[in-house]
Amino acid sequence: AVVEEVLPRRSTLIRRQTMKPQVLCANLDLAVLVLSTEPNFSEGMVDRVLVSAHAQSLDVVLVLNKADLVPRGSEARHRVERRLFVYEKIGYKVLFVSALEGEGLEDLRSLLGGRTSILVGNSGVGKSCLLNKLGQGQIEVTVGDISEKLKLGRHITTTTTMHRLPGEGPPAFLIDSPGARRFSIWDVKPEELKEHFIEFIPFARHCKFSDCRHLQEPGCMVKQAVEEGDVPPERYMSYQRIYQVLLEGTEGSFRSALWTESEHAEKRK
Ligand code: GDP
Ligand code: ZN
């Protein structure tokens, strides 16, 4: 499943069902990446989603759902905090929530206000539960050609729903599209990948070669930043891996790489 393209800022969706066209939402501008420890997430999947979202000018918020399974102060909580701190450090927003017990839901709700967001994440992490909780039972469902309008991908047709979340303030829209729950990065060329590792950018400017891929080139400031602890080594390794896959890969083999990786993570827990 692919979010292939983001509509230009000014376009809007019109609801078909009513006689008078009604503006439903402005543009997709946020990807809510839902993660959990059971099933466990993999950094490889997170990094791919971040690349894909950035390539499409979507903001991302990382939401660790099922926080109730990793109680504050526990070793398991520390472990997942350390893993997610890597992303926080480079500028991504990270929220701990529990659809089950309510932790963090208000923070998430306020983050979604005034925006149109799409839910992504592996199955079983609790996306449907979250949506139900956020909707407080007042969800308005719109099915139809949203996916076509938003260009969510070739394979997504009728299952895409858009939910207007209840609450004060600017309206929040949340798009749930089973097909879009897994991002992929077909449309990123290997040589473009480096632009989507956002923490590389300030260092990349000072590389000796302006077209530095940050691999074996001499005078690479990104590699130096890794050595000096200014770029997380995990992210740099992830960059090298994804670069290699993009270089070798066709869509098909890349898709299977993505699936295998997240399935591994699910088994690992
Ligand atoms: P989806 O596939 O991402 O839509 O996941 P679901 O919403 O169907 O949830 C998968 C499972 O996780 C269900 O058994 C839920 O009850 C459980 N679940 C969802 N949210 C939470 C949570 O916050 N805490 C716990 N402990 N379980 C949750
Ligand atoms: Zn470089």
Side-chain angles (χ1 to χ4, degrees):
V2 197
V3 173
E4 286 180 316
E5 180 186 320
V6 178
L7 295 177
R9 280 278 142 195
R10 243 152 266 297
S11 64
T12 50
L13 289 171
I14 307 294
R15 186 157 63 178
R16 277 255 185 96
Q17 287 91 324
T18 49
M19 292 300 287
K20 213 165 63 181
Q22 184 186 351
V23 176
L24 263 186
C25 81
N27 284 286
L28 185 55
D29 51 13
L30 177 72
V32 178
L33 173 55
V34 184
L35 308 169
S36 71
T37 53
E38 296 180 32
N40 210 347
F41 66 90
S42 83
E43 276 77 359
M45 180 275 293
V46 172
D47 292 333
R48 284 163 170 80
V49 170
L50 295 180
V51 166
S52 175
H54 188 260
Q56 297 165 80
S57 312
L58 293 179
D59 282 345
V60 184
V61 55
L62 305 184
V63 172
L64 186 96
N65 186 36
K66 311 196 189 183
D68 55 284
L69 298 180
V70 284
R72 283 212 181 91
S74 67
E75 181 47 44
R77 177 73 161 229
H78 288 313
R79 213 176 311 130
V80 70
E81 278 171 352
R82 273 195 301 274
R83 294 174 71 191
L84 291 174
F85 180 66
V86 170
Y87 296 99
E88 209 161 52
K89 192 179 158 208
I90 60 181
Y92 289 100
K93 178 111 184 128
V94 175
L95 282 181
F96 280 66
V97 312
S98 168
L100 200 66
E101 294 183 355
E103 179 185 343
L105 289 184
E106 281 320 304
D107 293 337
L108 179 56
R109 196 189 297 279
S110 60
L111 203 96
L112 299 178
R115 313 176 82 169
T116 300
S117 314
I118 186 161
L119 271 179
V120 292
N122 286 335
S123 83
V125 297
K127 294 179 297 300
S128 313
C129 289
L130 265 180
L131 197 54
N132 285 334
K133 278 295 160 66
L134 291 169
Q136 294 172 333
Q138 299 177 45
I139 277 172
E140 179 186 314
V141 180
T142 321
V143 186
D145 56 359
I146 290 169
S147 53
E148 194 193 316
K149 292 268 176 61
L150 283 176
K151 299 242 190 317
L152 289 177
R154 281 154 280 191
H155 315 296
I156 305 158
T157 49
T158 54
T159 48
T160 301
T161 55
M162 179 150 62
H163 308 264
R164 185 191 200 285
L165 305 186
E168 312 281 292
F173 295 99
L174 198 51
I175 293 169
D176 182 30
S177 175
R181 284 173 167 192
R182 286 172 188 273
F183 269 35
S184 52
I185 49 182
W186 324 144
D187 46 353
V188 175
K189 298 192 186 78
E191 64 273 19
E192 292 168 352
L193 182 66
K194 60 187 180 184
E195 291 154 31
H196 305 302
F197 276 72
I198 57 170
E199 74 275 32
F200 292 6
I201 295 167
F203 304 102
R205 260 183 228 124
H206 306 290
C207 290
K208 185 171 174 193
F209 301 107
S210 62
D211 62 350
C212 186
R213 296 160 308 156
H214 322 312
L215 298 171
Q216 280 87 39
E217 294 91 339
C220 174
M221 292 300 121
V222 171
K223 269 168 74 176
Q224 187 178 318
V226 175
E227 276 152 28
E228 290 173 359
D230 295 323
V231 161
E234 305 90 320
R235 287 272 295 171
Y236 181 65
M237 287 189 303
S238 192
Y239 168 74
Q240 291 175 303
R241 255 194 313 267
I242 300 173
Y243 182 88
Q244 204 54 42
V245 175
L246 289 178
L247 205 60
E248 293 162 3
T250 61
E251 289 190 2
S253 71
F254 184 66
R255 177 188 288 266
S256 61
L258 186 62
W259 278 73
T260 321
E261 177 143 10
S262 37
E263 276 150 19
H264 266 340
E266 279 160 28
K267 288 204 198 91
R268 206 168 53 208
K269 59 150 187 164

